[in-house]
């Protein structure tokens, strides 16, 4: 048998067409199957697949051209040479499945036809070493795994023997490519502006699995530092320790130990920091807090040390140390002059500082009961929300009233419908705020309730709002625990004592008579109220110059009536006149940020559109 195999091997070696490259296996496979496939005229069962070892059922290998026939059907292959009618074993060709790209590890199978069990003997011939090596002998499997000892050309040989002793053989050539690796260049993603930290990747081509060893060379210190060894990733994160020049180096290694390297130069820039100036934000509705921010340019990360210098005490104080934020909140301990100082530091200790002056002036704070405090005055005022929280929701609506919690009082406007119900509206018509039109005095309560409010601040957030009644307003005042401040907008030509009686009855029903403040531009309206209730607090709205003459003529005879005056017309003289006569004074409609202008005047009520 050995002599026969060697003779066949020499024949195959002499035919260049039998040597197959692992890079072109599919075309060779199809070709050889055709060349070695005899015509079959007998009934047979085909066998294939890596796990096929049963002699009673043999199927073809994947993509085989072998045929299955029975006694009633004759089949032929593309071969021009007919098989013997007495043949019971035919080897119809080989197929394979590479486990490595080079072909060094491959599963190889032989397609066959047989009427009986077949035993296979597998060998390979190492052409470079000129010797045969047994892969597997006396096996029932028509599949084997071939692991080549090195790159080069081989013959893969199989012969099958039936239980009756009939033997057939098949040989193909096989080429195992040398492992290749080519490092084509590096790319990177800088993570720090000065390039001290970066993700670095190497592009490559290879027909083998690779491992990578990453290093950098510190040119300043003249030493190598391994970042990662034998990793499968062609990307690595480098965190370089200091400013200076480096080499970034990668070595790739194939499974058999073949290596390739690639190196690039790298520079970590010197740290830079430039502090460009401070900005600030005085915190609304707060007594002494301000936010300070530092504008800067840098190519690295920074930490900040914030301090202030109290000029009156001639001492420095720390606000916060070692913070990554270029913003800080400064709470001044008192009114006066200060220096605000910031020091910015890089990771390697480069520092820059910036200083600016700060004058802490009188400011205010609104506490939970709606009292406004000044930071250098013992005098206070009471915050009244104009038409509810009208900076957050449509004015004079249930939504605006509910959002006014925290104010001392909530101001609103009331008008009479055609059927003499009090409703909430600043305007005498419904045109501006609703989807309707017409005067309120010409519409019944039922008609008004059919309208929808479709205008106002943030209206999109409050669908379904309707004009509220006086009773709905008072309900919310009880819910949020806030004082009702009610402006009567109806003039004396239409209002009646019965209407005032209904107003006072509603206040009594909701237990708000003692808390209510009634205001109006119409003195006659206030007199009608006074005639029915001499204890209810009232205030005359006024937009002109107010003197003792006006006081004597207008409100002297109503002891519970004060003055609510436009803020542009208030003066120490007006405030003193009213306070000397036991009356309260309010101003309208003033931005909250300007409250300190008026606190020293002893203002009792401060009406504003903006609660913060």
């Amino acid at each position: 048998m050995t002599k026969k195999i060697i003779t066949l091997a020499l024949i195959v070696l002499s035919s260049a067409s039998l040597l197959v490259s692992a890079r072109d296996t599919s075309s060779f496979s199809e070709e050889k199957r055709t060349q070695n496939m005899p015509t079959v005229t007998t009934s047979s069962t085909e066998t294939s697949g890596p796990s096929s070892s049963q002699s009673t059922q043999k199927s073809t290998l994947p993509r085989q051209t072998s045929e299955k026939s029975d006694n009633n059907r004759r089949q032929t292959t593309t071969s021009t040479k007919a098989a013997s009618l007495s043949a019971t074993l035919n080897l119809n060709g080989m197929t394979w499945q590479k486990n490595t790209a080079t072909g060094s590890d491959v599963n190889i199978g032989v397609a066959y036809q047989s009427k009986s069990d077949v035993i296979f003997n597998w060998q390979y011939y190492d052409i470079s070493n000129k010797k045969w090596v047994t892969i597997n002998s006396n096996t029932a499997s028509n599949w084997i795994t071939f692991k080549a000892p090195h790159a080069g050309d081989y013959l893969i040989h199989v012969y099958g023997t039936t239980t009756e002793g009939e033997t057939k053989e098949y040989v193909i050539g096989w080429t195992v490519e040398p492992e290749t690796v080519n490092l084509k260049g590096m790319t990177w993603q800088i993570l720090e502006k000065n390039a001290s930290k970066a993700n670095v990747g190497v592009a490559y081509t290879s027909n083998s699995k690779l491992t990578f060893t990453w290093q950098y060379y510190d040119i300043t210190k003249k030493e190598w530092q391994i970042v990662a060894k034998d990793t499968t990733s062609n990307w690595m994160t480098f965190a370089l320790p200091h400013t200076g020049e480096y080499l970034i180096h990668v070595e790739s290694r194939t499974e058999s130990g073949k290596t390739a390297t690639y190196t690039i130069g790298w520079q970590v820039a010197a740290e830079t920091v430039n502090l460009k100036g401070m900005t600030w934000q005085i915190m609304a509705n707060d007594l002494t807090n301000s936010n300070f921010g530092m504008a800067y340019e840098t190519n690295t990360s920074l930490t900040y040390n914030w301090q202030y210098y109290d000029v009156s005490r001639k001492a420095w104080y720390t606000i916060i140390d070692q913070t990554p934020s270029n913003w800080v909140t400064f709470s001044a301990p008192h009114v006066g002059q200060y220096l605000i100082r910031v020091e910015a530091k890089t990771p390697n200790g480069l520092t820059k500082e910036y200083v600016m002056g700060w004058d802490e002036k009188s400011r205010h704070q609104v506490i939970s009961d709606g009292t406004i405090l000044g930071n250098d005055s013992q005098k206070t005022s009471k915050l009244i929300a104009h038409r509810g929280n009208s900076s957050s929701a449509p004015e004079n609506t249930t939504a605006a009233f509910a959002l006014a919690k925290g104010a001392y009082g909530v101001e609103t406007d009331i008008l009479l419908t055609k059927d003499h119900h009090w409703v909430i509206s600043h305007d005498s018509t419904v045109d501006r705020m609703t989807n309707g039109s017409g005067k309120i005095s010409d519409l019944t309560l039922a008609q008004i309730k059919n309208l929808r409010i479709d205008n106002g601040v943030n209206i999109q957030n409050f669908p379904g709002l309707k004009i509220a009644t006086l009773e709905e307003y008072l309900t919310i005042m009880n819910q949020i625990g806030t004082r009702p401040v009610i402006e009567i907008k109806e003039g004396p030509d239409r209002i009646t004592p019965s209407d005032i009686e209904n107003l006072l009855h509603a206040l009594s029903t909701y237990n708000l008579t003692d808390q209510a403040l009634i205001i109006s531009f119409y003195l006659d309206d206030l007199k009608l109220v006074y005639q029915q209730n001499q204890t209810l607090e009232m205030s005359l709205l006024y937009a002109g110059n107010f003197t003792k003459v006006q006081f004597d003529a207008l409100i002297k005879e109503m002891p519970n009536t004060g003055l609510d005056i436009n803020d542009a017309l208030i003066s120490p003289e007006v405030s003193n006149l009213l306070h000397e006569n036991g009356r309260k004074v309010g101003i309208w409609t003033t931005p909250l940020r300007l409250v300190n202008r008026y606190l020293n005047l002893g203002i009792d009520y401060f009406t504003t559109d903006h609660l913060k």
Side-chain angles (χ1 to χ4, degrees), residues 403-438:
L403 291 173
K405 184 176 182 179
Y408 174 77
V410 175
E411 186 267 351
T412 194
D413 309 282
I414 60 172
L415 285 164
L416 287 168
T417 64
K418 182 178 180 178
D419 47 354
H420 280 255
H421 290 279
W422 289 110
V423 293
I424 307 299
S425 177
H426 174 271
D427 298 356
S428 60
T429 72
V430 297
D431 298 28
R432 178 172 66 94
M433 294 298 294
T434 77
N435 61 338
S437 63

Side-chain angles (χ1 to χ4, degrees), residues 306-327:
W306 290 89
Q307 296 176 302
Y308 72 88
Y309 183 77
D310 189 333
V311 175
S312 64
R313 296 177 181 174
K314 296 181 175 59
W316 284 98
Y317 299 90
T318 297
I319 303 173
I320 190 171
D321 261 345
Q322 299 297 313
T323 175
S325 176
N326 63 318
W327 279 88

Side-chain angles (χ1 to χ4, degrees), residues 82-153:
S84 170
L85 292 176
S86 63
T88 59
L89 173 64
N90 283 307
L91 302 187
N92 294 328
M94 286 191 192
T95 189
W96 50 83
Q97 178 185 30
K98 286 185 179 181
N99 298 322
T100 59
T102 61
S104 62
D105 187 335
V106 62
N107 296 326
I108 298 179
V110 64
Y112 70 97
Q113 292 173 314
S114 176
K115 292 182 177 180
S116 60
D117 294 341
V118 180
I119 296 299
F120 297 92
N121 288 277
W122 290 88
Q123 296 175 302
Y124 71 85
Y125 184 73
D126 185 339
I127 294 178
S128 61
N129 291 329
K130 297 181 175 60
K131 68 176 183 178
W132 286 95
V133 177
T134 297
I135 303 172
N136 205 347
S137 60
N138 298 321
T139 175
S141 176
N142 65 322
W143 278 87
I144 52 91
T145 298
F146 169 54
K147 294 187 177 181
H150 56 77
D153 292 328

Side-chain angles (χ1 to χ4, degrees), residues 173-223:
W174 190 258
T175 296
V176 176
E177 296 179 349
E179 286 183 334
T180 61
V181 55
N182 180 20
L183 301 187
K184 308 186 74 174
M186 284 192 191
T187 187
W188 52 84
Q189 177 188 30
I190 293 176
L191 303 178
E192 294 286 351
K193 291 181 180 180
N194 67 343
S196 61
K197 188 174 184 181
N199 292 328
V200 180
V202 64
Y204 68 92
T205 58
S206 178
N207 63 2
S208 173
K209 294 180 180 179
L210 297 180
T211 58
F212 300 88
T213 296
W214 292 91
Q215 302 177 78
Y216 67 83
Y217 184 74
D218 187 333
I219 294 178
T220 303
K221 295 183 177 180
K222 296 181 175 61
E223 62 184 20

Side-chain angles (χ1 to χ4, degrees), residues 595-608:
V595 67
N596 281 291
R597 295 181 183 179
Y598 308 100
L599 284 179
N600 287 332
L601 298 178
I603 302 301
D604 297 286
Y605 302 129
F606 187 90
T607 302
T608 182

Side-chain angles (χ1 to χ4, degrees), residues 378-398:
Q378 297 300 313
K379 295 183 179 180
T380 64
S381 185
K382 300 295 186 182
L383 177 67
I384 294 177
H386 187 232
R387 306 180 197 174
N389 191 342
S390 55
S391 64
S392 298
E395 65 180 56
N396 271 330
T397 62
T398 52

Side-chain angles (χ1 to χ4, degrees), residues 488 490-497 500 520-532 538 540 553-555 557-558:
I488 301 174
E490 203 67 65
D493 56 335
R494 188 162 181 268
I495 198 170
T496 68
I500 298 298
S520 182
F521 280 97
Y522 300 105
L523 182 61
D524 288 342
D525 288 357
L526 297 182
K527 287 181 178 180
L528 284 175
V529 175
Y530 185 69
Q531 289 170 6
Q532 296 191 36
M538 297 184 295
L540 177 67
L554 298 175
I555 59 176
E557 71 272 21
M558 295 188 295

